[in-house]
């Protein structure tokens, strides 16, 4: 039986642990809080993030990272992106030398502007020099609304790895009657699609909160995809990736679903709540709130124009009023759509 470790007991980490167990894997969830771990083991549910959802028998939990990592063929990382480096530095010496490192995170690191796979390669590579980390770092992305997947509603996703054989192994490990994974070798494009869509979802949420219509929402989604594609091409990604599940698929789900944390966060801002008020009523991490700054940093480093991303940074972090930001966007000089 395939052994898997999932580091992170949030809604998406727990939902993906269910997918792995339903696919026939033996899964150990690592959690920081003993109370939540006990609830998972005794009550077969995660009351904090997926209340009422019964977990498969193939899932158990522990607070001991060494126990979680032991003999794991796949090590799944499902923590907030800005905490990955610190957490992984402590876990890396415990991981099996040949484990496949799977990122569920959709963000870009503040300060370094590094994608999550780059952070994983750097941290694990430092802990295990010469271990050939790059070829066994994979990304799982796409329209991944955790509550729907935990309810076993049909969903498709992408597993991306530079080594196609590793991607196929992961595909087999998480393929169930309700969860259909596709493989891709474009790790850069898949990660960018997942990170930037959170920023665009904030923009769409702000528009919804302001009471703007579907034309505005469709325009933001479409131009947001154009921004993502521009940045991806500048970084060597495949343009076709952004028309697929990791690009358009994830963007549509995150920008339109009430289950989307980033969309909900943006909606509250658009209704007039302050950043502090919105954070106070948001229980889980909305990755776009911090990643909008690192995505904007990444765009500047590659000399790519991303006006929607810059607008979100202005509203979320610089205190710009949404109505002022809207007027600035609408007054930009006209251009051909391909730009």
């Amino acid at each position: 039986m395939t052994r898997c470790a999932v580091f992170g007991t949030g809604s998406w980490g727990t939902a993906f642990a269910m997918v792995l167990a339903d696919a026939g894997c033996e899964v150990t969830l690592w959690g920081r809080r003993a109370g939540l771990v006990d609830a998972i083991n005794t009550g077969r549910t995660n009351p904090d993030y997926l209340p009422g959802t019964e977990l498969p028998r193939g899932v158990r939990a522990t607070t001991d990272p060494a126990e979680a990592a032991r003999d794991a063929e796949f090590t799944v990382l499902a923590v907030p992106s800005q905490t990955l480096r610190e957490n992984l530095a402590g876990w890396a010496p415990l991981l099996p030398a040949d484990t496949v490192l799977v990122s569920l995170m959709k963000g870009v690191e503040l300060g370094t502007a590094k994608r999550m796979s780059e952070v994983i390669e750097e941290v694990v590579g430092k802990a295990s020099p010469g271990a050939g980390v790059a070829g066994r770092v994979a990304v799982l992305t796409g329209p991944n609304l955790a509550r729907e997947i935990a309810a076993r509603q049909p969903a498709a996703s992408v597993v991306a790895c530079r080594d196609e054989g590793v991607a196929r192994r992961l595909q087999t490990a998480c393929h169930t009657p309700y969860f259909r994974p596709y493989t891709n070798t474009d790790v850069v494009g898949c990660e960018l699609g997942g990170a930037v869509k959170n920023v665009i979802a904030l923009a769409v949420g702000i528009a919804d909160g302001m009471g703007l219509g579907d034309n505005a929402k469709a325009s933001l989604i479409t131009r947001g995809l154009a921004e993502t594609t521009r940045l991806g091409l500048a970084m060597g990604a495949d343009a076709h990736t952004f028309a697929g599940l990791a690009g358009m698929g994830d963007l549509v789900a995150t920008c339109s679903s009430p289950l989307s944390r980033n969309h909900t966060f943006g909606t509250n801002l658009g209704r007039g709540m302050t950043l502090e008020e919105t954070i106070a009523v948001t229980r889980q991490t909305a990755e776009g709130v911090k990643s909008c700054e690192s995505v904007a940093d990444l765009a500047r480093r590659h000399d790519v124009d991303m006006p929607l991303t810059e607008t979100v940074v202005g509203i979320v972090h610089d205190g710009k009023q949404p109505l002022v930001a809207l007027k600035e966007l609408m007054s930009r000089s006209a251009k051909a759509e391909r730009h």
Side-chain angles (χ1 to χ4, degrees), residues 217-251:
K217 180 186 294 187
S219 299
L220 288 169
I221 292 173
T222 306
R223 294 311 300 167
L225 184 62
E227 285 194 10
T228 310
T229 304
R230 279 200 302 271
L231 179 59
L233 292 178
M235 295 177 62
D238 183 344
H240 291 92
T241 297
F242 302 105
L245 289 163
M248 178 57 82
D250 205 1
L251 188 62

Side-chain angles (χ1 to χ4, degrees), residues 12-13 42 56 59 61 64 82 90 109 111-112 133 145 182 199 204 236 244 266 286 307 319:
W12 183 209
T42 60
V59 175
D64 182 356
Q82 304 307 327
E109 189 177 47
T112 67
V133 177
L145 296 167
Y182 290 80
V199 181
V204 172

